[in-house]
Amino acid sequence: MKVDMRYVVYGTGAVGGVIGGNLHLAGVPVTLVARGEHLARIRAAGLVLDRADGRHRVDAPTAETAANVAWTDDTVVLLCVKGHQTQSALDDLRAHAPAVVTIACVQNGVANELTVLRRYAATYGVCVMLPATHLEPGVVVQKCYRPGILDLGLAAGGVDARAEAIAADLRRGGFESVPRPDIMAWKHRKLLMNLGNGVGAVCTPGPAADDLARRAREEGEQVLRLAGVPVVTDEEDRERRGDLLARRQQLPVGEGGSTWQSVVRGGRGVEIDYLAGEIVLLGRLHGVPTPVNEAIQRATHDLVRSGGAPRSVDPATVLPT
């Protein structure tokens, strides 16, 4: 495996922008794939990476689709789109990228890896612990003093030289990254944390919303346990995070998770089917009721469909007693 691998960040939103920006600033070759006004701003004035040490202009190569990427056999795709966008991204990559391309799923949820693995043998899962925000075209905000944690491993289990090389390049960009043979167990723990995303996007903040998110996670824990899905413990996750994700004291944007950001930007879809919906799917496959996550999934789609304001729904109406 060559040391001088090239990277394509496919989906230069909050997570992709922070990753691509930090890699570029560290001298790692990277191409940023973006779209619409966000791409136009990046091409006109560079990607603005807002970090604790100031705003940095990132003048990396850009592309609107995979057709515009200068592909090589040692190119690694960091797939940073949301779960509901994975299939269209794969269709684009299949049409233009080399058949031997490496794809690392830098995504929340646990369904993307299997979808990608159906098409690409060199598929890796990445557990994303990277608080970031993208609300303004051309700008991404790194919420922590340090960029984040991006552990990875083969989607089918195990690690190899390629995983080691990718982790080394991520560390060059300032990220914490170690190869893990059980990366999907880590990603399932992250899935449980993301079960509060729909609540944070839809419901008015307060104790009732907090309780709903807690109930969603407890339900998720039960489903994964009864389904026999390997999950690292909450203690292991907390130990891995440690103090590496210390938040900046002052941020130029509001606080909110990835689903909230999608709703704020007025996107046409959200990834809720691959968060709460993943628990719903497993529950149905294994005969375990999932009323809390079903209600959150439904409420999130209803809000997006109606064009409602984020955080405008009374939590009591999401799951009536």
Side-chain angles (χ1 to χ4, degrees):
M1 175 55 57
K2 295 182 179 179
V3 176
D4 56 341
M5 293 186 298
R6 308 183 68 84
Y7 291 85
V8 172
V9 174
Y10 199 108
T12 309
V15 168
V18 169
I19 294 173
N22 279 290
L23 287 177
H24 177 79
L25 294 174
V28 178
V30 62
T31 297
L32 308 177
V33 177
R35 62 186 180 182
E37 182 61 23
H38 187 45
L39 176 61
R41 295 282 186 92
I42 294 172
R43 285 178 167 170
L47 174 70
V48 175
L49 174 58
D50 190 302
R51 304 192 307 197
D53 60 351
R55 287 196 155 196
H56 301 262
R57 175 169 172 160
V58 177
D59 287 311
T62 60
E64 186 171 14
T65 72
N68 310 123
V69 173
W71 294 101
T72 65
D73 285 346
D74 61 355
T75 297
V76 175
V77 176
L78 301 178
L79 188 62
C80 298
V81 299
K82 292 183 170 63
H84 63 289
Q85 301 165 325
T86 294
Q87 191 60 59
S88 62
L90 283 179
D91 290 342
D92 184 31
L93 289 166
R94 191 59 177 263
H96 304 290
V100 296
V101 73
T102 295
I103 300 187
C105 299
V106 193
Q107 301 166 282
N108 287 328
V110 294
N112 301 293
E113 285 77 9
L114 290 179
T115 300
V116 176
L117 196 57
R118 287 186 175 94
R119 295 196 179 190
Y120 294 97
T123 299
Y124 297 78
V126 181
C127 186
V128 183
M129 305 180 191
L130 196 166
T133 297
H134 164 53
L135 298 176
E136 176 186 351
V139 180
V140 294
V141 177
Q142 179 180 306
K143 291 184 179 181
C144 297
Y145 289 100
R146 303 176 71 168
I149 306 170
L150 297 171
D151 293 344
L152 76 155
L154 285 160
V159 297
D160 60 6
R162 187 182 283 116
E164 297 279 1
I166 296 171
D169 280 339
L170 290 172
R171 291 193 294 270
R172 281 179 62 189
F175 298 90
E176 291 287 326
S177 182
V178 299
R180 294 189 180 277
D182 59 344
I183 193 61
M184 296 311 296
W186 288 86
K187 293 203 69 167
H188 276 91
R189 173 54 58 185
K190 179 67 188 303
L191 170 65
L192 291 170
M193 299 181 63
N194 288 136
L195 295 182
N197 279 31
V199 177
V202 170
C203 297
T204 52
D210 294 341
D211 183 64
L212 185 60
R214 177 189 58 78
R215 291 171 63 188
R217 294 188 185 104
E218 289 178 350
E219 185 177 89
E221 291 265 15
Q222 180 187 37
V223 169
L224 293 180
R225 183 175 64 256
L226 294 176
V229 176
V231 185
V232 300
T233 66
D234 191 41
E235 291 74 19
E236 288 175 291
D237 180 78
R238 286 199 301 268
E239 182 179 356
R240 177 61 178 125
R241 292 168 183 265
D243 61 357
L244 296 174
L245 300 180
R247 296 293 185 102
R248 293 165 56 181
Q249 294 181 343
Q250 294 184 333
L251 288 169
V253 290
E255 283 281 9
S258 59
T259 306
W260 172 79
Q261 293 177 46
S262 294
V263 175
V264 170
R265 291 197 305 268
R268 291 173 293 178
V270 289
E271 60 183 334
I272 196 66
D273 288 345
Y274 299 93
L275 303 178
E278 187 70 29
I279 297 302
V280 172
L281 171 62
L282 281 172
R284 290 170 179 169
L285 288 172
H286 295 275
V288 184
T290 57
V292 180
N293 281 282
E294 286 181 36
I296 293 169
Q297 182 185 22
R298 182 171 55 252
T300 304
H301 280 304
D302 287 347
L303 183 75
V304 172
R305 189 180 304 111
S306 67
R311 297 174 176 168
S312 61
V313 175
D314 183 348
T317 67
V318 173
L319 188 66
T321 56

